Amino acid sequence: MYLGFTFMLNKFPVPEDLPYDLTTIYYRLFMQLPLGELKDTIDLQMALNQVNAADIYALQDYPTHNLSAYTGWAISSELTQAASKQRPVLIDNLYCWGSQLYRSVNPYKLDLSGKNLLRIPQYTKLPESVDAVIAEDDDRLDISDYDNKKIIAPVLTMQGIIQQGSVIKRGDLILAKNEKVSPEKLIALRRAGIKELTIYRNPRILVVSMHSFDEEHSLCEESVYVKDVLKTWGYDHVEIKLLKPQRYDSAFNSLKKEKDLTLDETLTTDWESYNLFLKNIFLILMS
């Protein structure tokens, strides 16, 4: 939309051999274009490849909960603070996320506040009672004797954790005005709690060709030129429709009654069809 207006201000040159009537069209066309910024508010799922019309700020933190940074053992760090090789912390149970789910056991309902560990996948919401994740091969977890599983060194609080709000903070700018919505931006918008987006609307523009001798596949060059110019200015939804000039029905009927051999009804449109065309076009453009 703005590109066409810029052309007008800068008076971009047109080819020297372009007929005067096309040159006039080139410099006056923007006068007939929609004025202002046409906008629509749409569901986020429909926003891919659209151009954002306003700065968008996060409505929530992301992650909304602490997540595991990698696949490993989720643990309560508090119980490990006094652990050493001489005084290890014995582990009662090792639970695996997948095997619990296969048995229809909800891992979030497991008791992990005591000496129980849960093998948790990467990027998974942590159960409330754990605050650290150690790698599967971490030397601090000694399972060489499975009946005597133990922690032999302290684990730091929040180790292996992607903390709540560490990626996106509520109020962060997620998408700037005039940015195009890419698949990657959609992920960020969803994470930020965005459900709707205001985008620039690309209007539907109809070019009506009213030359008497035009046919569907041989339109006048002015109509085709207007369509091409509009598309170079960023208007993607441009269509050409054929409408012959409105007929003087009384004169036509008189000549038809006289069986005038020069009469050619394909050169004009009768009054009823002409007005019906305009009515239908209005409904199409408003839909």
Side-chain angles (χ1 to χ4, degrees):
M1 185 178 298
Y2 297 105
L3 185 57
F5 193 67
T6 302
F7 280 178
M8 299 304 303
L9 292 178
N10 294 338
K11 291 188 177 297
F12 269 34
V14 296
E16 293 182 1
D17 58 350
L18 190 66
Y20 175 77
D21 55 342
L22 297 189
T23 304
T24 302
I25 290 173
Y26 185 88
Y27 284 122
R28 295 183 179 275
L29 185 57
F30 84 101
M31 297 294 292
Q32 304 300 322
L33 297 179
L35 300 179
E37 297 178 348
L38 301 178
K39 301 176 182 179
D40 274 335
T41 299
I42 61 173
D43 187 272
L44 187 63
Q45 304 307 316
M46 305 298 294
L48 182 63
N49 292 328
Q50 301 291 339
V51 178
N52 177 43
D55 290 342
I56 301 297
Y57 297 91
L59 299 179
Q60 64 185 28
D61 292 344
Y62 183 84
T64 54
H65 305 277
N66 291 334
L67 303 180
S68 53
Y70 42 75
T71 298
W73 295 101
I75 188 173
S76 172
S77 63
E78 183 179 0
L79 70 87
T80 72
Q81 297 310 301
S84 66
K85 289 184 178 181
Q86 294 73 31
R87 300 183 62 182
V89 175
L90 297 179
I91 301 301
D92 293 334
N93 296 292
L94 294 177
Y95 297 112
C96 290
W97 184 275
S99 62
Q100 298 304 314
L101 290 178
Y102 287 133
R103 295 162 53 203
S104 298
V105 173
N106 187 339
Y108 292 105
K109 293 184 177 182
L110 294 173
D111 180 11
L112 301 175
S113 58
K115 299 177 181 181
N116 299 319
L117 275 62
L118 172 67
R119 184 182 180 277
I120 193 169
Q122 186 179 31
Y123 304 142
T124 301
K125 174 186 172 183
L126 291 184
E128 292 183 1
S129 55
V130 298
D131 59 5
V133 176
I134 59 175
E136 295 178 275
D137 58 354
D138 195 302
D139 292 338
R140 288 170 292 185
L141 175 60
D142 182 358
I143 56 174
S144 56
D145 180 359
Y146 195 79
D147 293 328
N148 191 29
K149 305 176 288 292
K150 52 187 176 290
I151 295 289
I152 59 175
V155 176
L156 295 176
T157 301
M158 304 309 290
Q159 177 179 331
I161 303 297
I162 301 174
Q163 296 186 43
Q164 177 181 350
S166 61
V167 177
I168 295 174
K169 287 287 188 184
R170 181 172 180 170
D172 284 352
L173 178 64
I174 303 300
L175 189 66
K177 181 179 179 179
N178 296 328
E179 275 195 82
K180 192 171 184 178
V181 182
S182 66
E184 294 75 20
K185 289 293 184 181
L186 277 178
I187 291 175
L189 289 164
R190 293 188 190 104
R191 289 177 172 181
I194 306 301
K195 305 296 184 184
E196 294 181 332
L197 208 63
T198 300
I199 53 106
Y200 291 112
R201 179 160 58 91
N202 199 334
R204 299 176 65 183
I205 298 178
L206 181 68
V207 179
V208 179
S209 179
M210 300 184 67
H211 288 258
S212 293
F213 291 97
D214 271 7
E215 301 295 339
E216 289 294 338
H217 302 292
S218 58
L219 297 168
C220 68
E221 67 176 7
E222 289 88 351
S223 297
V224 177
Y225 179 72
V226 167
K227 178 180 179 180
D228 292 342
V229 169
L230 287 170
K231 287 202 166 188
T232 64
W233 288 353
Y235 293 92
D236 296 323
H237 306 300
V238 184
E239 183 181 0
I240 300 176
K241 281 193 175 294
L242 186 62
L243 176 65
K244 300 299 178 67
Q246 186 174 357
R247 179 182 302 158
Y248 295 124
D249 284 338
S250 59
F252 173 83
N253 292 333
S254 177
L255 292 172
K256 187 174 182 179
K257 186 176 181 180
E258 296 172 3
K259 297 183 179 181
D260 192 313
L261 296 179
T262 64
L263 200 62
D264 185 349
E265 64 180 12
T266 66
L267 300 179
T268 55
T269 305
D270 66 84
W271 185 90
E272 183 177 354
S273 299
Y274 185 91
N275 285 279
L276 181 61
F277 175 93
L278 296 180
K279 179 181 178 181
N280 289 338
I281 289 303
F282 176 78
L283 293 175
I284 290 172
L285 293 179
M286 292 299 291
S287 63

